[in-house]
Amino acid sequence: MLGSGGREHALAWKLAQSPRCKKLFAAPGNPGIAQYAQCLELDAGDHAAVIAFCEEEDVSFVVVGPEAPLVDGLADSLRGAGIAVFGPSKAAAQLEGSKSFTKEICLRAGIPTAGYRRAESEAEAMAALDAFDIPVVIKADGLAAGKGVTVAMTRAEAEEAVRDIFAGRFDADGAVAVIEEFMEGEEASYFALTDGLTIVPFGTAQDHKRVGDGDTGPNTGGMGAYSPAPVMTPMLRSETIAKIFGPTVKAMADAGTPYSGVLYAGLMLTAEGPKLIEYNCRFGDPECQVLMMRLESDLVDYLLACAENRLASLPPPRFSDDTALTVVMAANSYPGTPEKGGAIGGIEEAEETGAKVFHAGTALDNHGSLVANGGRVLNVTAMAASAREAQAKAYAAVNRIDFPTGFCRRDIGWREVARQG
């Protein structure tokens, strides 16, 4: 397995539970993943080195956690070497790697999404703003680690976001902006596995992108999430498969670039029905953590079936009806430059509550003690019969963790807790 964050810790935890997993390697992994896998230094950008390691160690299946190696074409290199891999090809991974690519797919296939304009220069983007009402959404076209999106509430804020993109803040090489109309509604996430033909629903979730309580402050990679998302009713799930997932998978196959892996749709639930905000070509982070808590089926079975083009032969995956909720503990100053090196204690005590603590950005110092080594540091995850109970259980575990240089939101799951009364 490739990756080092909380998503990858959750995947490693679930993969290791499979009787089909005889030995698990993780590159580079983290101290939490090391409980289930042999961690090793291996650069995912060095395709030849990854292939050589797989051949030397007789690795028969590779799970790629993060998006960057997929957009870089690692899955193609592995498949070319005869190694099964979970994750889309470079061409298919453009669904996440280029927002304008996805918009063009939506336009061709009639997939409901926000109106947009693509701009390749600051001047072009500034002129394009005239075609949109305020608020307006400004996006960096390429990968931006979840931070390249601005919902501009004023024209001045929109212009500042445009300047940031073309100043190279997100992509120094060939910056491109996508300007979108603002959509009204509630956001939700829907996941599906596909082998390029068969589509298998794989759970719903809602996350909290903004750094502060009450959904205030700048966007982050995600400060918490819960699953399932009851707002995604059976009717809305069916509509999403029929109008969004289905046409996407068909369009990719028709273009000669079939999509194999997980499709993660960020949706806006508008008055006209679900509309696509964007696609990700990997499991969400921290949505993966709550999905893996609820998953009762063997994860290896489904990921390998994607890689081997035989998803249709499997029954639907089983998920617990309970709610899983995860709270992200982040290092001070995140989403700016995080304060690294802060000591962390109390994880065992937190897990005594029945919660699971996934490591997202941790390391061991020279004395073997756990310290913060990233922006998002821990994902404290609990499961219970209701969102309110899962929230209480997760925060009871958070309160046992000693992380003086960290912080978390205290209202993860508030929408669903309020709905349940």
Side-chain angles (χ1 to χ4, degrees):
M1 185 192 69
L2 293 166
S4 63
R7 167 183 51 225
E8 287 77 29
H9 188 178
L11 289 171
W13 174 69
K14 189 57 71 170
L15 290 168
Q17 294 172 24
S18 172
R20 303 183 68 175
C21 182
K22 304 305 181 188
K23 185 173 179 62
L24 184 61
F25 295 98
N30 65 36
I33 292 172
Q35 298 174 59
Y36 312 101
Q38 180 181 331
C39 295
L40 50 116
E41 289 299 325
L42 192 60
D43 180 7
D46 187 340
H47 297 192
V50 174
I51 290 167
F53 176 83
C54 291
E55 290 174 343
E56 288 165 13
E57 295 291 339
D58 198 25
V59 173
S60 58
F61 185 41
V62 176
V63 175
V64 182
E67 62 275 18
L70 295 168
V71 172
D72 186 46
L74 179 59
D76 303 84
S77 297
L78 287 164
R79 288 191 184 100
I83 299 165
V85 57
F86 178 77
S89 66
K90 180 175 184 175
Q94 288 183 88
L95 282 176
E96 178 167 4
S98 170
K99 294 175 179 63
S100 57
F101 173 87
T102 299
K103 286 293 190 181
E104 289 160 14
I105 290 279
C106 290
L107 193 63
R108 291 203 306 271
I111 296 165
T113 189
Y116 78 104
R117 293 275 294 275
R118 182 179 187 273
E120 296 185 357
S121 71
E122 183 176 322
E124 186 183 359
M126 292 297 188
L129 284 174
D130 294 335
F132 293 86
D133 295 329
I134 300 294
V136 64
V137 181
I138 314 295
K139 297 180 177 180
D141 185 64
L143 299 180
K147 300 173 189 173
V149 178
T150 299
V151 180
M153 305 308 291
T154 65
R155 173 72 183 225
E157 192 179 354
E159 291 178 355
E160 182 182 2
V162 166
R163 284 192 288 270
D164 280 346
I165 289 171
F166 289 99
R169 182 177 170 190
F170 304 107
D171 184 359
D173 302 321
V176 173
V178 174
I179 301 166
E180 294 185 3
E181 67 173 332
F182 176 79
M183 294 189 289
E184 293 274 3
E186 187 169 347
E187 288 189 41
S189 301
Y190 197 15
F191 297 81
L193 300 182
T194 180
D195 55 11
L197 183 63
T198 301
I199 299 170
V200 173
F202 209 72
T204 61
Q206 285 187 292
D207 74 337
H208 297 260
K209 278 284 188 283
R210 294 192 180 271
V211 73
D213 286 4
D215 296 321
T216 58
N219 273 335
T220 71
M223 293 300 293
Y226 59 91
S227 174
V231 70
M232 285 293 294
T233 62
M235 183 180 74
L236 287 175
R237 296 198 300 271
S238 296
E239 193 173 346
T240 300
I241 291 169
K243 296 182 178 180
I244 297 176
F245 282 139
T248 300
V249 170
K250 184 178 187 302
M252 296 299 287
D254 289 349
T257 55
Y259 189 99
S260 173
V262 62
L263 266 178
Y264 161 15
L267 304 170
M268 186 67 76
L269 306 181
T270 73
E272 295 82 39
K275 293 186 179 182
L276 182 69
I277 300 172
E278 63 185 16
Y279 272 129
N280 293 312
C281 64
R282 37 69 190 181
F283 285 108
D285 191 345
E287 294 91 343
C288 183
Q289 290 82 314
V290 287
L291 287 176
M292 292 303 112
M293 284 289 282
R294 293 183 54 232
L295 180 64
E296 295 174 344
S297 297
D298 187 325
L299 180 64
V300 172
D301 285 347
Y302 287 85
L303 303 194
L304 192 57
C306 278
E308 296 177 345
N309 302 311
R310 50 178 182 80
L311 260 184
S313 68
L314 296 183
R318 298 184 316 278
F319 287 88
S320 169
D321 292 331
D322 285 355
T323 295
L325 184 144
T326 190
V327 177
V328 171
M329 300 189 76
N332 287 342
S333 300
Y334 178 78
T337 302
E339 183 178 339
K340 294 187 179 182
I344 302 168
I347 288 181
E348 289 184 7
E349 291 81 355
E351 292 192 331
E352 287 172 359
T353 67
K356 178 66 183 172
V357 181
F358 295 112
H359 293 229
T362 65
L364 298 178
D365 67 12
N366 293 334
H367 305 289
S369 299
L370 193 68
V371 296
N373 191 43
R376 294 184 295 170
V377 178
L378 300 172
N379 309 140
V380 185
T381 312
M383 194 161 71
S386 69
R388 181 180 296 278
E389 292 172 87
Q391 183 191 61
K393 191 173 176 182
Y395 281 110
V398 165
N399 292 339
R400 293 194 177 196
I401 293 176
D402 182 20
F403 182 21
T405 61
F407 72 98
C408 67
R409 281 183 56 167
R410 287 282 169 177
D411 65 345
I412 300 302
W414 67 266
R415 282 191 193 87
E416 196 52 38
V417 170
R419 271 194 284 257
Q420 291 180 358

